[in-house]
Amino acid sequence: MASLLQHLGLFLLFFVSCHSQYHPLDSLTPSEFHQVQAIVKGSNPGSSLNITFQYVGLDEPDKSTVLSWLSNPNSTTPPPPRRAFVITRLHSQTHEIIVDLSTQSIISDEVYGGHGYPLLTSEERTAASVLPLTYPPFIASITKRSLKLSDVVCSTFTVGWFGEDKSRRVLKIPCFYTDGTANLYMRPIEGVTIVVDLDDMKIIEYYDRLMVPLPEAEGTEYRLSKQKPPFGPPLNAVSAMPPDGPGFKIDGHNVRWANWDFHISFDARAGLIISLASIYDLRKGTFRQVLYRGHVSELFVPYMDPTEEWYYRTYFDEGEYGFGLSTVPLQPMLDCPPNAVFMDGYYASQDGKPMSISNAFCIYEQEAGRIMCRHTETGIPGEEIKEVRPEVSLVVRTVVALSNYDYILDWEFKPSGSIKFGVGLTGIPAVKGVSYTHTDQIKEDVYGTSLAPNAIGVNHDHFFTYRLDLDVDGDANSFVKANLETKRVTDNSSPRKSYWTVVSETAKTESDAQIQLRLKPVELIVVNPNKKTKLGNYVGYRLIPGSLSSPLLSDDDYPQIRGAFTKYDVWITPYNKSEKWAGGLYMDQSRGDDTLAVWSQRNREIENKDIVLWYTIGFHHVPCQEDFPVMPTLSGGFELRPTNFFENNPVLKTIPPTPVSWPNCTH
């Protein structure tokens, strides 16, 4: 224990000693949030108490400006001006405001007149969730069900859009019963519909349509401290602290590890953002660009129950609730290993004041028994070669908790040049209360699986859409589809009847690059058409897909119109700073008229351009009893892997870690 505490002390000293350095892509600081608050409220002195800050984030400088400034690290040229992009609500109108922090002034203030509403704030969701507890019709419904009002808690669900001409910001309020358990999601109070107007903060619609039995509390407790014997076999801890301290360095928000260098930032909507990832090429003696900026752009979660109390549950979690706002503090030694270093995140509250999320993400080196490369050679007489290189990678992790689900999001950087993206789904399944206690009683479609008596886990999807602005060895790139095609041998030149070969085509326009990966075998590569290896191959990075789950909703269904960006697994667009959110800037009650699918209808040229790769990893979730009462992590991911980027294996001369001796456990 003393050794562990000593190591933790070294890590704390290391982290505190890292000095902050100004960078044009740094997140807004607490002092900058205060500045924004003062400037915006100062411009509306008579209405400052009524202004709500729905979003405050960095107004990202133009890419060319950032790259130009970074290309002269020793220059005395000042960095680009710091600006904030602010979305406020005032007098039931949405304002888009650009604040110049260097001049303490507002550059522009425009009223948004399109469809959809901005990111919800935590404060307005909390205020809406308690309204039913003092609403007489709801109290009567609780009394009718013989429940205790003191054990009722309510949540807030977005309402979507289903063709109606809406003009109010509203939420629906589902409620749950906590008597006997902390697992509120397993005890839904079905049949009650509550609609709240967020601008007026009052209940405007109320229906009590039906009553069904409340699922029992027994067996729903998921906390280890509440479990009773017998217990399963214990698991031994296997994490080890590196004897020489961390192998990475943090300078401000810049991280350097092994042959990688990148920048980390935090945003109320996007959460974790990785920028300016470049990798050192030993043969060339320089860092080479890989990724300018990357983050999750949207998460679409439609449930498959079309009934009155469920049909609207088709969430766009990032644009409606915010990944940053929903980021939770990571627990040392549990969410992250002992060797992790933690960083905080900041966002603006509804009144504009800075709020902090401690341990918003962690950074750690990982050696999990994986092999970087190996070869066994027995073909040389009198000699046997066993060459094994253990793999160490660097992981940046964050966890986003959105109502019943927790999402574990990893960026893993490998010495080989690969970037792996990990997605983990865990938490509590969303269940619907029903009258059935056994599957033999079910004679109709219940839209899910029976998980417990009176509880159906409803079928649903999770579609994570990533925005990855790749700059492979420069910002002029092309997208190559290397199709794997079967060829017949017809000239009797071989005993073989067939083989497959690669037939490559370069996408000229956006429509050429819209890919549904299940249709045919294809290798997808972003290349720099202006750079070649010594052997004449274009340098590139290849997308290695993960879980392939395409949307099953019809194209004319309203949730799918809003989520049309999930129709293809892959999209390529020309770089546009304003095209950051796959579902549009205003996701709440959006109508699908400002999405990636709409932008791409322009069919812009993408060959030898600054291009952006959009990739959606999807999961169809049919709940099962093992998901009850808490779901073991369902994992997926994908990879960006160098393809002819290097002249040969980049880890050939990488020095592996010194093996740690463990007791001999052979029996």
Side-chain angles (χ1 to χ4, degrees):
M1 177 60 73
S3 175
L4 176 60
L5 292 175
Q6 182 182 12
H7 278 301
L8 288 173
L10 288 173
F11 272 92
L12 180 61
L13 178 63
F14 155 76
F15 183 61
V16 172
S17 66
C18 293
H19 66 280
S20 295
Q21 183 178 2
Y22 179 79
H23 191 288
L25 295 181
D26 280 352
S27 317
L28 295 181
T29 65
S31 64
E32 288 174 326
F33 282 119
H34 278 301
Q35 291 178 53
V36 170
Q37 180 198 41
I39 294 167
V40 172
K41 286 192 171 184
S43 69
N44 296 274
S47 305
S48 61
L49 295 178
N50 298 320
I51 294 175
T52 61
F53 292 80
Q54 307 296 133
Y55 171 83
V56 182
L58 176 70
D59 182 38
E60 183 184 330
D62 289 337
K63 183 175 180 179
S64 59
T65 302
V66 174
L67 294 178
S68 175
W69 184 78
L70 292 174
S71 66
N72 296 291
N74 299 319
S75 172
T76 58
T77 303
R82 293 282 281 177
R83 293 177 176 173
F85 178 60
V86 184
I87 299 177
T88 64
R89 289 284 291 177
L90 180 61
H91 304 313
S92 298
Q93 291 183 316
T94 298
H95 289 252
E96 298 178 357
I97 305 170
I98 302 293
V99 176
D100 191 316
L101 293 167
S102 60
T103 62
Q104 301 287 300
S105 63
I106 290 180
I107 295 176
S108 64
D109 183 344
E110 299 180 357
V111 175
Y112 172 70
H115 298 131
Y117 296 104
L119 197 66
L120 299 166
T121 69
S122 301
E123 293 88 341
E124 63 189 355
R125 291 177 59 200
T126 299
S129 68
V130 299
L131 290 177
L133 303 181
T134 56
Y135 188 63
F138 180 73
I139 295 173
S141 293
I142 295 302
T143 301
K144 181 173 66 174
R145 289 166 170 79
S146 300
L147 304 178
K148 295 179 292 184
L149 187 65
S150 59
D151 288 324
V152 174
V153 296
C154 300
S155 187
T156 51
F157 289 180
T158 51
V159 300
W161 172 71
F162 295 89
E164 60 275 83
D165 187 15
K166 293 180 180 177
S167 59
R168 305 174 83 165
R169 291 180 70 226
V170 296
L171 289 175
K172 288 190 176 180
I173 311 295
C175 297
F176 307 88
Y177 201 54
T178 61
D179 184 29
T181 182
N183 195 340
L184 63 136
Y185 296 106
M186 285 296 168
R187 307 200 76 191
I189 301 172
E190 292 289 346
V192 175
T193 299
I194 309 166
V195 181
V196 169
D197 183 304
L198 287 174
D199 289 326
D200 294 336
M201 200 52 71
K202 67 179 183 181
I203 295 174
I204 59 172
E205 294 181 42
Y206 185 83
Y207 308 99
D208 188 347
R209 193 175 69 92
L210 57 88
M211 288 178 56
V212 297
L214 191 72
E216 294 295 328
E218 183 180 358
T220 62
E221 183 58 70
Y222 55 87
R223 293 172 291 181
L224 181 60
S225 61
K226 302 294 183 179
Q227 303 304 309
K228 298 177 181 179
F231 291 98
L235 302 176
N236 293 330
V238 295
S239 297
M241 295 290 290
D244 300 320
F248 56 93
K249 295 181 180 179
I250 302 176
D251 184 2
H253 289 85
N254 274 83
V255 179
R256 181 166 289 192
W257 170 81
N259 48 355
W260 279 103
D261 187 282
F262 57 89
H263 179 274
I264 292 178
S265 60
F266 182 82
D267 179 78
R269 179 164 177 172
L272 173 65
I273 300 174
I274 301 291
S275 303
L276 301 168
S278 60
I279 188 165
Y280 188 78
D281 189 325
L282 187 63
R283 292 184 62 147
K284 293 182 179 293
T286 187
F287 278 91
R288 299 170 65 189
Q289 295 169 271
V290 177
L291 176 77
Y292 178 73
R293 203 153 168 84
H295 58 86
V296 180
S297 180
E298 192 52 83
L299 169 57
F300 179 30
V301 186
Y303 281 81
M304 297 298 135
D305 186 331
T307 59
E308 179 65 27
E309 286 76 26
W310 277 79
Y311 76 89
Y312 65 90
R313 303 187 191 197
T314 54
Y315 311 116
F316 293 84
D317 280 331
E318 187 165 325
E320 293 172 339
Y321 300 105
F323 266 25
L325 297 180
S326 304
T327 293
V328 294
L330 298 171
Q331 297 189 58
M333 314 287 288
L334 297 174
D335 285 312
C336 307
N339 61 323
V341 169
F342 296 83
M343 298 181 73
D344 299 340
Y346 297 91
Y347 65 92
S349 64
Q350 182 172 288
D351 68 358
K353 293 179 181 178
M355 303 291 290
S356 68
I357 301 174
S358 61
N359 299 353
F361 33 86
C362 68
I363 307 167
Y364 62 92
E365 290 168 291
Q366 175 174 273
E367 181 183 5
R370 292 184 297 190
I371 297 171
M372 185 163 62
C373 57
R374 81 177 319 280
H375 180 62
T376 301
E377 182 56 68
T378 58
I380 303 174
E383 185 175 0
E384 182 176 355
I385 299 172
K386 295 181 179 179
E387 179 71 9
V388 184
R389 308 280 188 89
E391 181 174 76
V392 178
S393 59
L394 186 75
V395 177
V396 183
R397 169 170 293 171
T398 189
V399 172
V400 176
L402 289 148
S403 295
N404 54 309
Y405 265 101
D406 288 40
Y407 298 105
I408 305 161
L409 302 171
D410 289 349
W411 289 66
E412 182 180 355
F413 295 86
K414 293 174 170 284
S416 62
S418 283
I419 305 174
K420 292 191 71 174
F421 301 79
V423 175
L425 290 68
T426 182
I428 311 296
V431 304
K432 177 181 180 178
V434 295
S435 59
Y436 308 113
T437 59
H438 193 279
T439 56
D440 289 348
Q441 302 167 345
I442 300 174
K443 307 300 181 183
E444 59 184 348
D445 191 347
V446 292
Y447 318 111
T449 304
S450 179
L451 300 185
N454 306 117
I456 295 291
V458 179
N459 300 330
H460 58 281
D461 298 318
H462 304 261
F463 295 109
F464 296 80
T465 298
Y466 282 76
R467 179 185 186 269
L468 301 169
D469 181 6
L470 288 168
D471 283 359
V472 178
D473 219 16
D475 58 8
N477 288 173
S478 295
F479 182 62
V480 174
K481 297 179 289 185
N483 299 297
L484 309 185
E485 297 185 0
T486 301
K487 297 289 186 180
R488 297 283 296 178
V489 179
T490 59
D491 59 1
N492 298 319
S493 61
S494 170
R496 291 280 296 274
K497 299 292 186 182
S498 64
Y499 63 98
W500 64 258
T501 190
V502 177
V503 179
S504 295
E505 57 176 316
T506 300
K508 306 292 185 182
T509 64
E510 290 176 274
S511 63
D512 294 338
Q514 295 168 0
I515 307 294
Q516 291 178 319
L517 287 166
R518 292 150 301 281
L519 299 183
K520 63 179 182 179
V522 62
E523 299 276 311
L524 303 176
I525 310 168
V526 175
V527 304
N528 187 324
N530 310 294
K531 303 281 184 69
K532 291 183 178 182
T533 64
K534 291 182 178 179
L535 294 176
N537 295 309
Y538 289 119
V539 303
Y541 258 75
R542 175 167 38 126
L543 171 67
I544 300 179
S547 174
L548 298 178
S549 298
S550 59
L552 298 176
L553 299 178
S554 60
D555 288 345
D556 63 346
D557 197 358
Y558 292 105
Q560 189 58 36
I561 291 172
R562 302 174 68 210
F565 54 88
T566 63
K567 181 174 182 178
Y568 297 101
D569 302 287
V570 176
W571 307 70
I572 300 288
T573 61
Y575 170 80
N576 185 325
K577 188 179 80 168
S578 68
E579 294 178 358
K580 288 198 285 192
W581 313 113
L585 179 58
Y586 296 99
M587 199 68 248
D588 182 28
Q589 298 183 52
S590 65
R591 300 189 182 183
D593 53 5
D594 180 31
T595 70
L596 170 60
V598 172
W599 311 332
S600 289
Q601 289 177 3
R602 288 174 281 178
N603 204 22
R604 295 163 289 185
E605 294 184 356
I606 58 172
E607 185 178 15
N608 201 14
K609 304 284 187 182
D610 189 358
I611 57 177
V612 176
L613 167 69
W614 306 77
Y615 176 69
T616 296
I617 178 171
F619 302 83
H620 295 308
H621 188 185
V622 178
C624 61
Q625 286 186 242
E626 286 79 5
D627 296 338
F628 174 86
V630 64
M631 175 181 166
T633 300
L634 173 64
S635 299
F638 63 100
E639 182 177 350
L640 293 173
R641 185 180 178 93
T643 300
N644 301 317
F645 187 84
F646 298 101
E647 294 292 340
N648 61 358
N649 184 343
V651 297
L652 187 64
K653 297 185 179 181
T654 298
I655 300 174
T658 302
V660 177
S661 298
W662 291 87
N664 190 334
C665 296
T666 303
H667 292 283

